Amino acid sequence: MNTPAHLILGAAAFGKPNQNHVIAAAVIGSLLPDLSLYLLAGWELVVRGTNPQIVFGQLYFSDAWQQVFAIDNSFVLWGIALGLAVWRRIDWAVALTAGALLHIALDFPLHNEDARMHFWPLTEWRFYSPWSYWDSASGGRVIGVMELVLVMGAAAFAIMRFRAWGWRALIAALAALQGYTFYQWYFFF
């Protein structure tokens, strides 16, 4: 799924009305499994000026990058963290780790050749799904429509639940970004 979708779904699922710290934690947790990709790709594209085809065709699949992705996309590590958060009864930590786990759970069946090692450190096995959230040759157009409908529904739900205008504005902006991303993937890929 696209990152704005993860942020909206995490906020809708784990954000608590009138508890800004819990909403923020849910949003941040929903971002964390993708953050390393943004940092690594951003460094290569913006700072080093590396060609995007090299970044996403070679570096993305390199052992070094895949190891980083294994850590921040691990059901095992995030599951342990959620268990600790629940045990300690820390509401913001529960929202953060649950947001990350929801992100990973939604990505798991939607990554084809770009699959991650979701069960690291127990195994380096990857589930190469027949479906892809972006590749039209692997159902990306249909999945994109389903994702858009789900995300817009979750955005409406979150906007109704959260009374603070700042959160409503952020959710609306993320929904607009998701719509734009859908348009790009649907018509250009």
Side-chain angles (χ1 to χ4, degrees), residues 120-149:
W120 186 89
L122 301 179
T123 179
E124 293 186 359
W125 175 81
R126 299 166 204 229
F127 173 63
Y128 293 97
S129 175
W131 304 102
S132 171
Y133 74 97
W134 65 270
D135 185 0
S136 61
S138 297
R141 287 180 181 239
V142 172
I143 291 167
V145 170
M146 293 168 42
E147 177 183 339
L148 185 65
V149 170

Side-chain angles (χ1 to χ4, degrees), residues 2-181:
N2 293 295
T3 304
H6 288 299
L7 302 182
I8 291 168
L9 293 169
F14 304 111
K16 293 183 179 178
N18 303 319
Q19 293 188 26
N20 289 335
H21 68 290
V22 176
I23 300 169
V27 171
I28 292 167
S30 300
L31 172 66
L32 289 176
D34 279 349
L35 185 59
S36 63
L37 174 60
Y38 284 111
L39 295 174
L40 291 168
W43 176 263
E44 288 295 330
L45 294 167
V46 177
V47 176
R48 296 193 64 206
T50 306
N51 182 308
Q53 290 179 335
I54 292 172
V55 172
F56 296 107
Q58 294 175 20
L59 294 175
Y60 179 93
F61 296 99
S62 70
D63 289 341
W65 283 35
Q66 288 299 311
Q67 189 58 56
V68 172
F69 301 154
I71 295 167
D72 60 15
N73 280 265
S74 172
F75 281 120
V76 176
L77 298 180
W78 284 112
I80 291 169
L82 176 61
L84 290 171
V86 169
W87 176 60
R88 298 293 307 197
R89 296 183 182 165
I90 305 170
D91 59 353
W92 67 265
V94 170
L96 183 127
T97 54
L101 278 167
L102 178 62
H103 178 134
I104 296 165
L106 292 169
D107 271 358
F108 185 76
L110 299 177
H111 279 259
N112 191 309
E113 79 246 3
D114 55 347
R116 307 248 170 109
M117 295 179 274
H118 287 294
F119 298 98
W120 186 89
L122 301 179
T123 179
E124 293 186 359
W125 175 81
R126 299 166 204 229
F127 173 63
Y128 293 97
S129 175
W131 304 102
S132 171
Y133 74 97
W134 65 270
D135 185 0
S136 61
S138 297
R141 287 180 181 239
V142 172
I143 291 167
V145 170
M146 293 168 42
E147 177 183 339
L148 185 65
V149 170
L150 174 67
V151 168
M152 293 306 163
F157 175 74
I159 288 171
M160 288 188 302
R161 284 185 74 211
F162 304 148
R163 296 290 176 212
W165 285 104
W167 289 117
R168 288 178 167 186
L170 177 64
I171 297 296
L174 288 169
L177 185 57
Q178 177 66 25
Y180 176 75
T181 304

